[in-house]
């Protein structure tokens, strides 16, 4: 049986799992695992009932994943909401798994995707959104990574840079609120920073602590998002801010700048401002220039456009934005904000509504919809 035949059975197998009670995303991941196993084992031992074999294996993978997810959630519920400061425990199997999944036989991007899926507990859709690629593309990447490592021994750990990238993405997903993984990412990064002599490990830990310090102020009692400029800064955790700034200063003193240190420097400048009006936007633009040089990331350039709009005025921000691809996530929301700052309320309201339709999660969509309604109400009162 060839690979084309195996894949032709996929829609029917996927439908059977969904009918058994699996949600579609989890069923899709389980079927992908079963397909990889089929490609590996069928040439030597083809089953009599191909569909039945795939359903059985996929259902077992789904149950295993569900049990693992349940166990992980129970561990998170038992953990303290805020990560404890100071040294971390010396031993942790989870961090070892991160290194093993970052296997030398994989490209860095494939290793990150595989680790996020297998150890981090993220769905294929969440990983695809983090990488700004279609879900189908990421599913293929993860399947290839699984196929690559299916016949190798996991006795060669991957490199620190790949593990740092995974921890960064896990923290970002937890910080977004979809999955509460932020505290676990901080715990593992503490372990890593204590074990390796790598300034970017310290930079990432500082970045996480500075962002986590603002977590309590990021949402209103009704669950709605509160923009940074409107947050109650008395609710920011000064203990975490002080720890993060101290770690960052020690890392920067080593004069081996990396992207996580630069991002942490931006976060530290926000944390240092007693009010939104006192934010040193000129320095923030300078750090975004460093980040753009280090990463050439379109997301960095998008954030830089916002900072330029604050430092040099909204029209300068719009000029910086015009150089970017309008298909970039949150491009329309940034454009709406800068047009509002520039006094063009009709365009800003239209763009806020358009951005709401593109938003990746419900909280962001609701926030953008409220922004559009607020501007339309202001226009109606004139």
């Amino acid at each position: 049986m060839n690979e084309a035949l195996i894949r032709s059975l996929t829609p029917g197998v996927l439908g059977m799992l969904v009918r058994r009670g699996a949600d579609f995303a989890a069923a899709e991941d389980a079927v992908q695992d079963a397909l990889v196993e089929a490609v590996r084992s069928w040439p030597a031992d083809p089953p009599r009932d191909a569909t039945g074999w795939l359903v059985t294996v996929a259902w077992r993978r789904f149950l295993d994943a569900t049990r693992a997810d349940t166990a992980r959630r129970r561990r998170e519920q038992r953990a303290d909401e805020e990560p404890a400061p100071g040294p971390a425990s010396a031993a942790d199997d989870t961090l070892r798994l991160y290194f093993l999944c970052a296997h030398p036989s994989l490209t860095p991007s494939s290793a990150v995707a595989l680790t996020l899926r297998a150890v981090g507990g993220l769905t294929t859709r969440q990983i695809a959104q983090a990488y700004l690629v279609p879900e189908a593309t990421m599913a293929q990447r993860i399947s290839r990574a699984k196929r690559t490592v299916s016949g190798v021994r996991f006795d060669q750990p991957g490199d620190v840079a790949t593990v740092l990238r995974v921890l960064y993405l896990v923290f970002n997903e937890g910080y977004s609120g979809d999955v509460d993984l932020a505290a676990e990412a901080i715990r593992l990064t503490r372990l890593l920073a204590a074990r390796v002599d790598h300034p970017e490990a310290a930079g990432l830990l500082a970045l996480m602590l500075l962002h986590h310090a603002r977590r309590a102020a990021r949402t209103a009692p009704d669950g709605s998002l509160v923009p940074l400029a409107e947050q109650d800064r008395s609710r920011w955790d000064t203990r975490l801010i002080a720890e993060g700034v101290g770690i960052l200063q020690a890392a920067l003193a080593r004069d081996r700048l990396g992207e996580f240190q630069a991002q942490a420097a931006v976060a530290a400048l926000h944390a240092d401002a007693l009010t939104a009006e006192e934010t040193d936007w000129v320095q923030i633009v300078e750090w975004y220039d460093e980040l753009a040089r280090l990463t050439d990331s379109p997301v960095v350039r998008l954030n830089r456009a916002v900072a330029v709009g604050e430092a040099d005025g909204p029209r300068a921000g719009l000029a910086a934005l015009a150089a970017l691809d309008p298909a970039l996530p949150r491009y329309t929301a940034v454009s709406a904000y800068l047009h509002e700052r520039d006094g063009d309320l009709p365009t800003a309201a239209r763009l806020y509504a358009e951005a709401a339709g593109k938003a990746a999660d419900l909280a962001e969509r609701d926030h953008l919809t409220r922004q559009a309604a607020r501007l339309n109400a202001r226009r109606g009162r004139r």
Side-chain angles (χ1 to χ4, degrees):
M1 297 185 180
N2 58 35
E3 187 172 343
L5 173 59
I6 295 171
R7 293 189 179 280
S8 71
L9 301 172
T10 300
V13 174
L14 185 60
M16 290 183 186
L17 262 66
V18 172
R19 286 194 292 274
R20 286 188 179 188
D23 70 88
F24 187 83
E28 193 173 40
D29 287 330
V31 171
Q32 288 175 11
D33 288 346
L35 289 174
V36 172
E37 180 62 20
V39 170
R40 188 189 66 80
S41 65
W42 283 15
D45 184 23
R48 293 182 179 179
D49 179 0
T51 301
W53 188 98
L54 285 172
V55 170
T56 300
V57 173
W59 183 249
R60 287 173 181 167
R61 297 297 172 90
F62 167 75
L63 292 177
D64 289 342
T66 301
R67 293 188 190 104
D69 186 64
T70 300
R72 177 180 57 77
R73 290 180 183 277
R74 286 173 180 167
R75 289 196 302 271
E76 292 172 358
Q77 289 169 1
R78 289 195 296 267
D80 292 334
E81 183 176 349
E82 295 296 337
S89 168
D92 190 276
D93 287 339
T94 305
L95 188 57
R96 180 172 178 272
L97 286 174
Y98 273 69
F99 271 95
L100 291 177
C101 282
H103 196 273
S105 64
L106 296 172
T107 63
S109 60
S110 294
V112 171
L114 178 61
T115 313
L116 289 171
R117 184 70 191 96
V119 186
L122 275 62
T123 66
T124 303
R125 179 173 301 171
Q126 289 169 324
I127 301 169
Q129 289 172 348
Y131 269 89
L132 309 180
V133 300
E135 185 177 354
T137 300
M138 183 54 64
Q140 292 174 356
R141 185 179 301 176
I142 294 172
S143 294
R144 285 196 300 269
K146 290 177 180 177
R147 200 176 304 128
T148 298
V149 300
S150 63
V152 301
R153 293 182 60 186
F154 280 85
D155 55 1
Q156 294 178 275
D159 69 324
V160 173
T162 299
V163 174
L164 287 172
R165 175 63 51 186
V166 174
L167 289 169
Y168 172 70
L169 291 173
V170 170
F171 176 81
N172 281 348
E173 196 59 51
Y175 192 64
S176 75
D178 290 338
V179 185
D180 190 8
L181 295 171
E184 174 69 358
I186 291 174
R187 185 183 71 82
L188 292 173
T189 306
R190 283 191 192 282
L191 280 173
L192 185 58
R195 290 183 184 185
V196 300
D197 182 25
H198 197 302
E200 275 292 79
L204 179 58
L205 178 57
L207 174 64
M208 290 178 174
L209 293 173
L210 289 164
H211 276 295
H212 208 64
R214 303 200 300 256
R215 186 167 189 173
R218 289 182 70 244
T219 55
D222 63 359
S224 59
L225 293 179
V226 180
L228 177 61
E230 300 172 19
Q231 288 177 14
D232 179 357
R233 299 186 178 214
S234 68
R235 299 185 66 196
W236 289 2
D237 189 326
T238 55
R239 173 183 60 85
L240 288 182
I241 290 173
E243 185 186 5
V245 169
I247 292 170
L248 173 62
Q249 288 174 339
L252 290 174
R254 300 179 63 179
D255 198 23
R256 291 169 55 192
L257 184 64
E259 72 168 289
F260 296 132
Q261 294 170 69
Q263 285 191 52
V266 171
L269 286 167
H270 284 299
D272 188 53
L274 296 178
T275 65
E277 292 72 25
E278 295 176 67
T279 304
D280 190 342
W281 286 106
V282 173
Q283 272 205 70
I284 288 176
V285 171
E286 291 173 356
W287 278 112
Y288 275 126
D289 287 339
E290 288 287 348
L291 268 170
R293 179 182 62 81
L294 289 166
T295 67
D296 196 29
S297 164
V299 175
V300 167
R301 296 187 185 279
L302 183 68
N303 290 332
R304 180 186 178 278
V306 176
V308 168
E310 299 291 351
D312 300 327
R315 294 194 179 181
L318 286 167
L321 187 66
L324 303 178
D325 183 357
L328 191 64
R330 295 192 172 92
Y331 178 102
T332 307
V334 169
S335 182
Y337 173 74
L338 291 171
H339 275 95
E340 180 185 356
R341 288 280 318 281
D342 196 38
D344 186 352
L345 301 190
T347 299
R350 175 179 58 78
L351 289 171
Y352 275 129
E354 183 181 334
K358 301 175 181 177
D361 62 73
L362 183 60
E364 183 178 352
R365 186 182 313 131
D366 288 347
H367 170 72
L368 293 168
T369 301
R370 282 194 296 272
Q371 296 294 88
R374 173 180 58 81
L375 293 187
N376 285 326
R378 281 179 59 185
R379 291 169 57 203
R381 291 195 295 269
R382 289 184 174 182

